[in-house]
Amino acid sequence: MTNFTKANNVQIAYIGGGSKGWAWGLMSDLAQDREISGTVRLYDINSESAKQNELIGNRLKEREDVIAKWDYKAVDTLSEALDGADFVIISILPGTFDQMDSDVHFPEKYGIYQSVGDTVGPGGMVRAFRTIPLFVEMAEAIKTYSPNAWVINYTNPMSLCTRTLYKVFPEIKAIGCCHEVFGTQKILAAMVEELLGVQNVKRQEIDVNVLGINHFTWIDRASYKGVDLLPLYQEFVEKYHETGFEGSEEGHWMNDHFSSAERVKFDLYKKFGLIAAAGDRHLAEFMPLNWYLANPDRVHSWKFGLTPVAWRKENAKKLVEKSKRLVSGEEQFEINPTGEEGVEMIKALIGLKTFISNVNLPNQGQMSGVPNDVIVETNAVFSHNGVQPIVSGELPPEVNKMVAAHIFTQETTLEAALEKNKEKAFRAFSQDMLVQSLNQEQAKQLFDQMLINTKDYLPGWDL
Amino acid sequence: MTNFTKANNVQIAYIGGGSKGWAWGLMSDLAQDREISGTVRLYDINSESAKQNELIGNRLKEREDVIAKWDYKAVDTLSEALDGADFVIISILPGTFDQMDSDVHFPEKYGIYQSVGDTVGPGGMVRAFRTIPLFVEMAEAIKTYSPNAWVINYTNPMSLCTRTLYKVFPEIKAIGCCHEVFGTQKILAAMVEELLGVQNVKRQEIDVNVLGINHFTWIDRASYKGVDLLPLYQEFVEKYHETGFEGSEEGHWMNDHFSSAERVKFDLYKKFGLIAAAGDRHLAEFMPLNWYLANPDRVHSWKFGLTPVAWRKENAKKLVEKSKRLVSGEEQFEINPTGEEGVEMIKALIGLKTFISNVNLPNQGQMSGVPNDVIVETNAVFSHNGVQPIVSGELPPEVNKMVAAHIFTQETTLEAALEKNKEKAFRAFSQDMLVQSLNQEQAKQLFDQMLINTKDYLPGWDL
Amino acid sequence: MTNFTKANNVQIAYIGGGSKGWAWGLMSDLAQDREISGTVRLYDINSESAKQNELIGNRLKEREDVIAKWDYKAVDTLSEALDGADFVIISILPGTFDQMDSDVHFPEKYGIYQSVGDTVGPGGMVRAFRTIPLFVEMAEAIKTYSPNAWVINYTNPMSLCTRTLYKVFPEIKAIGCCHEVFGTQKILAAMVEELLGVQNVKRQEIDVNVLGINHFTWIDRASYKGVDLLPLYQEFVEKYHETGFEGSEEGHWMNDHFSSAERVKFDLYKKFGLIAAAGDRHLAEFMPLNWYLANPDRVHSWKFGLTPVAWRKENAKKLVEKSKRLVSGEEQFEINPTGEEGVEMIKALIGLKTFISNVNLPNQGQMSGVPNDVIVETNAVFSHNGVQPIVSGELPPEVNKMVAAHIFTQETTLEAALEKNKEKAFRAFSQDMLVQSLNQEQAKQLFDQMLINTKDYLPGWDL
Amino acid sequence: MTNFTKANNVQIAYIGGGSKGWAWGLMSDLAQDREISGTVRLYDINSESAKQNELIGNRLKEREDVIAKWDYKAVDTLSEALDGADFVIISILPGTFDQMDSDVHFPEKYGIYQSVGDTVGPGGMVRAFRTIPLFVEMAEAIKTYSPNAWVINYTNPMSLCTRTLYKVFPEIKAIGCCHEVFGTQKILAAMVEELLGVQNVKRQEIDVNVLGINHFTWIDRASYKGVDLLPLYQEFVEKYHETGFEGSEEGHWMNDHFSSAERVKFDLYKKFGLIAAAGDRHLAEFMPLNWYLANPDRVHSWKFGLTPVAWRKENAKKLVEKSKRLVSGEEQFEINPTGEEGVEMIKALIGLKTFISNVNLPNQGQMSGVPNDVIVETNAVFSHNGVQPIVSGELPPEVNKMVAAHIFTQETTLEAALEKNKEKAFRAFSQDMLVQSLNQEQAKQLFDQMLINTKDYLPGWDL
Ligand SMILES: [Mg+2]
Ligand SMILES: [Mg+2]
Ligand SMILES: [Mg+2]
Ligand SMILES: [Mg+2]
């Protein structure tokens, strides 16, 4: 049968295939799967990295503890990667670490601290200007070389990357995937364990209704085996609002640039009565500056971390070393399930299972209160050749207001990037929630300077 | 935990609880379940029947082969049934068999043959006028006595019954359930067995995207373990279009008033390129009279049956006898899974599982191309305290046209019934697809006479 | 000022500029206007006709009774006509009179009589298949040569011609204009004169709310100087339902292929409670065959005429003769106001006035109950560079049903024509209200033969 | 004829009929009209004021320079005012001047300066909480006593007052009227005079497309006799951005609490490329605090005035004196056209004319990009018994974002007021654009205190 045949010859194009994070994770997940195998074509503008990953990946075939023997193949062009692909995974770093440094840290001169800087905020904005043209190019290539492939994007800013793909090629079968909701499910699982005295609660057992936009999603209904979790969460928030809760993630928030004590999340519950379903580092950036990000002390008191790009650079260096060791065989590749659902999604799309997960898709009716076609994040059913969003209702107006505001700014951002229109770009920039703390002159200065810092990636702009 | 407690004390109100069809089926399904138990309160305007079912149901507790020990309790009033109910099941016969006789057979004098006569056609129309006031009453009672209960309706005309519930009590948590799509899945399963040589394919393994209105639903995407079934269906239709296919149902269509050889379904595929997902007896009534129902010979040549009400009356008599024997203990109740999903739905709503099935709900975005709020049938996700429709897309305009036409006539029918407006009722009646074969004078005569035949159930009308 | 300058140099491209009907009407209306002048470029596939009209038009300049001195210029190519045009008027005959003969009369062999045959019915359908490719070509040319021009279409089938223009070039500024609503206003004016004893009521004094699709529009609110006309119409219908009303138009219906006694209109009021706002000849074609068009006697008894194409051919011959006389100067061109609003619209769009009239436009919110983007006819405000539809509400479901049914069939027709897809074309054809009186075999025969009769205008179809 | 009869016996209920502003204006406008007459019933919670206005109004009848002899009648109850009314005018002061004082000036302690304080900002919010229950009561009374009357509201906060009327009585025929757009048209007229050298341009000659919400409306298309005014406005803004423009209003902004030099308006054009169509005093309150209202100096530099409530109190005192003089006959009532369109609207609704003006109505398709049913301000056509909005399009996302944000906060405000829900009320309050400059603790303090200051008008709240 078609699918069984196909399942032994799955063709995956990996754009950003030189990655030392997501790509290694995929290798690990694929290696352990019992149902599918095939080829992963690695494409990266850093072709050296792609070649290293080809070597690393192909080494796995030789190991006894590896179930599925996948072929890895570094390719030189986008068209080679895409032609004939069943799936396209996009996970790229748009621009350089220096540009990311400007995104995240340059605004600190103006009192704007960003915990991530890749989604909203001045950093997210500028990253979007830089990223959208890359996605225009990818969408056009997919339209030409693999119009029937399923495209799974992991790149941020998620909403705008996915929106760009659909804008350029409306018939594309693309989804945007992010694990932030999973993190919130884990917190709820830990809460169930603690407050209900149950053991080993899995995040998949936490049923949630998700609605919002990526990194700013909300849960208005949650249950564990028929127990309504909203009242329980109320209790949980009362208990941990002040101290924070550190049980669900491994590292302590102070030592971990990605961790937090969930105090922002709890505070948002107190303010709005819903569960904010993303990490605190992301959530804080969607809120007025003076709430959580006014200064490092404020951040510290809310018990989440600012992720310095210096750390990312340092980490990247370590990974380069590690990559060399993996290539040479000096170090063995460690196989570990990532907890990501990419491989499960691929299997569902092939027709091997049906499952429900949250995903970023154009609004076609799944979320009320915001326009059609903009990218929203809700649950969807994954099955053979289909990802169908689930009708998820509407946020209360006070929350919908915040979500819609970011959506409209994204629309302006998209228009500006497609038109390479600096004036419109500033309109978007100056309406960002964090930027709005500045007066207009400061905002303009910051904008001008940040664009100059990333100008290599803004071809055609009149800077 | 709440749900476990609750699962041992589930309160079900059964309106139409004297039924000898659906009620016995429910008893059978409940008896075999391992996860829930509680009480079923049986309410019926025929209180004698309800009492007999109380006795029949309570007998089951004594049997060793019965897993769940449910209590059955006949009650005298709607309020007694509803007060404190977690679930309300509605399965009533609106009016008498004589009235149904008029619905189905009186139009034959005018050359209109109806295979069922409970959904559309002159019979379905008149049945709707009779039924809507009953559902107004039930909706008001539910609003008063059990506003948080989940309401599962099985009564036809399904769309209009469900629409009435929501019109009267917009916050109601009601769904309309019907097994016609299951029947189509069974045909597809038989097709997979035959054409792909697989054995024991279950209907649940046939993945379908469903969209339309009850008894006039369509499938535009179907797969079995990743195999796209549309091309296979094309082949299947070519093979069986002329002869009909009789493999999936037990009885031969000629001897079975509910069976068919699927020729109507195959013909609709040839005409529209989609799989019509209901029994031929229902589908034929949605089409122009001269296609399938022009006369008994035409019907015979399309190999489906007209279900005579005389048969129903005869069958009802037999069931009365059987009921007596079951009450007296002369005959033992036979426990058999019905294949219906009512109990599964209840369990999902309690929080014991998550599953996907087709269901009738107000359109909130799940189906494009038809208005909001009207009742459509699509897949939905059933989970703890939630039934969320799945975004199912849009029918091609040539099919959407037919679906929308029936929807608008239903809207007129609803308005007419709520207003007890005879003139508007005739507008609806005369626009029915089967009635449109008559000239206006004939249509008016037929209408007037049919209303008189059912006038006992039209209080407040100026007839 | 811009507009004053412009008003002396208005550039009009007339596609179908060899016309002896609409083109002469335009000459007449332009000649009498005091505010605008400029050039009309006449383009026609019959270039001889265009040249004759150039001569006829330019003769007017010499006359003393002509106020505005317009230049007329026959051009050889579409691009010459369009380049630099401020306005584009489209009024073409799609195909030949012989093809129109097949459209209108061939179906009579199958018992389908058509009073016009240019909008719906088998004739309207086939005309659409023939016309849509021509409008694709025009839309592309307008996009290239005059993207900012206002396009005024008079060609039928109106809805589909206008829909095609927007489908191909979504930014086009196109409107579709038709005088049928004016005719209904005139009847209402005559009614006011008769029943209220007022004299000289102008059709413009009859305020109406219009909603529907071209030739099948409805009025649900009408007034004359604050007098609600619906109750008056009820009285009027009672009076004239049987005999018909012949007061508002000049010729007696029996002698005039375009006239009627309004009996269809009155009958529709009795059936639906609204004023149908088009000529009876058009309205009848939207209804079931057995209502008004079953046979010539039926038509006769409803007191409207079937317009034979033979008459059109004869008339065309006379016009050719007349054209020669006008060119030679043997006959003088008669200047008469047409009652059409084309020139008023042009003046409003230039900014010289603001006025309200009914017009065909994509649905952007002006009409509820039907999809967005399809062409609907409602009132709109014409002002400087803008035609903004007026929010007109929703038809009652029993009327909306009929309108929506025709809309969805138009959508199928459009898809079929764009895809040159014969199978889809038959789906549309067989769902037409008049065609539905046939059985499927007859419908298919009729369809096949009619396509063959018009095959010269169906390039690329697999016939 | 109905309307002529009616036009001599028009029944107007004036709620807030003791007013010394709008009521006197109405008297003046009615006195000069040649086409309608009838009775104005004055209802006011200050019955003394209503009686004085009765006397003042009835005096007019005796004067020779008064054309229409209207009867004025003070009534004691709402039902007396409404029963049989054709029109209901609502123009009330919700609460006392002291409460208004708290609305406007109390927030100054927190650095929030408000130029009006009746629409948005902390003052507008609290005023809304106070006003909504009054409008609930009025809507219920209208539903009971004059369900067919046209209701014209002048009270602020306009959007929420009108929204409340429709929420309580969805079939109400209510419109909200405001003259701010007229003011903008006057500026454009002055601009045309100045830049094009035309004389005596009337504001009615300035054609505009209006879209937004009351006091925060935008113009994206404007013309004067066919001249596109957007490019002209660009030139105008360049010229006057720095200095301000003081030509269009009579008083100098420094001496006039209601005047401004349009610098805010010009600045918004520079930022967003559209014409903001309300007075600067209103516009500033919709923007971030630090743009225009951070402190009195900032306000001064932007050349608009803060309207102190002390001035209003003082002015009210003067009007009380004036009222006495008018009653006694010591002073003669001065008849002056107000420039308001209330009387024109009444005449149009009676059927005496058709005209277009901007108005506040539930969104039924006239404005894209914001939800249905919320109150938006666009142009509409006024005619016999109908106000039909004109389809006005969509704002660019950067402007729509701001409009939508205020709309969603209004929705939260409405819910809070209807539910008397203090927690939800704070959610709305804290999301106001001006309040967002505060940190959460300050916002809460301000909120608590302001509610206490107005608590007499918050019956049923748990304060
Ligand atoms: Mg993410
Ligand atoms: Mg059924
Ligand atoms: Mg026409
Ligand atoms: Mg105002």
Side-chain angles (χ1 to χ4, degrees), chain A residues 1 3 207 209 221 223 225-228 350-351 354 356 364-366 381 383-386 388-392, chain B residues 1 3 196 207 209 221 223 225-228 350-351 354 356 364-366 381 383-386 388-392:
Chain A
M1 273 177 296
N3 68 315
D207 236 45
N209 188 52
R221 208 161 57 86
S223 65
K225 298 195 172 175
V227 183
D228 184 358
I350 287 172
T354 290
I356 292 170
Q364 313 147 52
Q366 65 264 48
V381 179
S383 63
H384 175 242
N385 199 23
Q388 290 178 275
I390 294 174
V391 174
S392 303
Chain B
M1 271 177 297
N3 69 314
L196 295 183
D207 237 45
N209 187 51
R221 207 160 58 86
S223 65
K225 299 198 173 176
V227 183
D228 183 357
I350 285 172
T354 290
I356 291 171
Q364 315 146 51
Q366 66 263 49
V381 179
S383 63
H384 176 242
N385 200 21
Q388 292 177 276
I390 295 173
V391 174
S392 303

Side-chain angles (χ1 to χ4, degrees), chain C residues 160-188:
Chain C
L160 275 165
C161 290
T162 312
R163 181 87 167 104
T164 303
L165 293 175
Y166 278 93
K167 192 86 174 182
V168 174
F169 176 28
E171 293 77 20
I172 201 169
K173 300 191 288 190
I175 55 177
C177 297
C178 168
H179 50 204
E180 295 289 319
V181 171
F182 304 170
T184 307
Q185 286 173 305
K186 283 179 199 163
I187 295 166
L188 296 176

Side-chain angles (χ1 to χ4, degrees), chain C residues 209-211 220 363 365-370 378 390-396 400, chain D residues 364 388:
Chain C
N209 188 52
V210 175
L211 64 178
D220 64 355
N363 190 21
Q366 64 265 49
M367 187 169 157
S368 301
V370 299
T378 67
I390 295 174
V391 174
S392 302
E394 186 166 348
L395 287 163
N400 200 50
Chain D
Q364 314 147 52
Q388 291 178 275

Side-chain angles (χ1 to χ4, degrees), chain A residues 31-325:
Chain A
Q32 293 174 309
D33 193 80
R34 293 181 182 279
E35 295 178 279
I36 57 172
S37 63
T39 304
V40 180
R41 307 157 189 185
L42 304 160
Y43 172 75
D44 206 299
I45 50 167
N46 181 339
S47 61
E48 187 51 43
S49 291
K51 283 201 187 95
Q52 289 179 6
N53 276 349
E54 172 184 310
L55 293 168
I56 294 168
N58 284 332
R59 288 225 156 179
L60 290 172
K61 271 182 292 201
E62 300 151 18
R63 284 166 55 170
E64 289 200 355
D65 61 340
V66 165
I67 297 159
K69 311 299 186 187
W70 285 79
D71 291 318
Y72 291 86
K73 187 168 175 344
V75 297
D76 291 329
T77 62
L78 200 46
S79 62
E80 255 183 292
L82 295 175
D83 198 11
D86 300 308
F87 297 92
V88 179
I89 293 173
I90 307 177
S91 160
I92 65 167
L93 175 71
T96 66
F97 278 120
D98 285 344
Q99 291 172 334
M100 195 193 286
D101 208 328
S102 164
D103 292 349
V104 178
H105 299 297
F106 192 83
E108 292 173 359
K109 298 195 204 322
Y110 292 76
I112 297 176
Y113 290 83
Q114 296 170 92
S115 25
V116 191
D118 69 348
T119 310
V120 291
M125 284 279 161
V126 171
R127 183 181 172 112
F129 297 140
R130 199 161 69 221
T131 310
I132 288 167
L134 304 176
F135 274 74
V136 168
E137 197 187 331
M138 282 186 260
E140 284 166 350
I142 290 164
K143 184 176 178 178
T144 306
Y145 298 108
S146 52
N148 294 313
W150 279 93
V151 179
I152 303 175
N153 177 52
Y154 289 106
T155 314
N156 287 327
M158 174 58 73
S159 306
L160 276 165
C161 290
T162 312
R163 181 86 166 107
T164 304
L165 293 176
Y166 277 93
K167 192 86 174 184
V168 174
F169 177 28
E171 292 77 20
I172 202 169
K173 299 190 289 189
I175 54 177
C177 297
C178 168
H179 49 205
E180 295 290 319
V181 171
F182 305 170
T184 307
Q185 286 173 305
K186 284 179 197 163
I187 295 165
L188 296 176
M191 172 188 86
V192 166
E193 291 177 352
E194 177 169 330
L195 297 189
L196 294 184
V198 190
Q199 295 201 322
N200 294 321
V201 177
K202 290 185 203 147
R203 75 142 181 98
Q204 287 88 344
E205 293 176 306
I206 305 296
D207 236 45
V208 292
N209 188 52
V210 175
L211 63 179
I213 51 174
N214 183 244
H215 295 164
F216 197 48
T217 37
W218 296 80
I219 290 173
D220 64 356
R221 208 161 57 86
S223 65
Y224 167 72
K225 298 195 172 175
V227 183
D228 184 358
L229 296 185
L230 265 295
L232 214 65
Y233 194 70
Q234 166 106 33
E235 189 185 325
F236 194 61
V237 169
E238 292 307 333
K239 186 166 173 187
Y240 289 113
H241 180 243
E242 285 306 320
T243 61
F245 173 77
E246 286 154 41
S248 78
E249 298 280 344
E250 284 147 42
H252 184 281
W253 69 269
M254 282 199 65
N255 307 318
D256 188 338
H257 293 307
F258 293 95
S259 203
S260 86
E262 321 301 349
R263 288 200 65 211
V264 171
K265 201 175 277 87
F266 297 157
D267 193 49
L268 290 173
Y269 178 79
K270 288 178 84 75
K271 287 195 165 72
F272 297 108
L274 297 181
I275 304 173
D280 283 14
R281 293 157 58 251
H282 284 301
L283 294 170
E285 296 183 343
F286 286 81
M287 295 291 152
L289 186 75
N290 70 24
W291 287 20
Y292 310 111
L293 283 165
N295 53 59
D297 283 352
R298 180 77 58 89
V299 173
H300 194 262
S301 75
W302 283 104
K303 297 195 175 176
F304 64 99
L306 302 173
T307 309
V309 175
W311 177 87
R312 291 188 194 265
K313 288 178 175 174
E314 194 55 41
N315 187 49
K317 271 188 209 149
K318 288 183 198 156
L319 289 171
V320 166
E321 293 311 312
K322 185 184 179 82
S323 179
K324 282 181 193 156
R325 295 194 301 276

Side-chain angles (χ1 to χ4, degrees), chain B residues 209-230:
Chain B
N209 187 51
V210 174
L211 64 178
I213 52 173
N214 183 244
H215 295 165
F216 197 49
T217 37
W218 296 81
I219 290 173
D220 64 354
R221 207 160 58 86
S223 65
Y224 166 73
K225 299 198 173 176
V227 183
D228 183 357
L229 296 186
L230 265 295

Side-chain angles (χ1 to χ4, degrees), chain D residues 22 118-119 154-156 158 177-181 214-215 278 282 360 377:
Chain D
W22 286 95
D118 69 349
T119 309
Y154 289 107
T155 313
N156 287 327
M158 174 57 76
C177 297
C178 168
H179 50 205
E180 294 289 319
V181 171
N214 184 244
H215 294 165
H282 285 301
N360 291 275
E377 186 165 332

Side-chain angles (χ1 to χ4, degrees), chain A residues 126 129-130 133 420 451 454-463:
Chain A
V126 171
F129 297 140
R130 199 161 69 221
K420 302 172 192 299
L451 285 200
T454 205
K455 70 175 188 304
D456 292 351
Y457 274 72
L458 301 178
W461 286 57
D462 184 18
L463 296 181

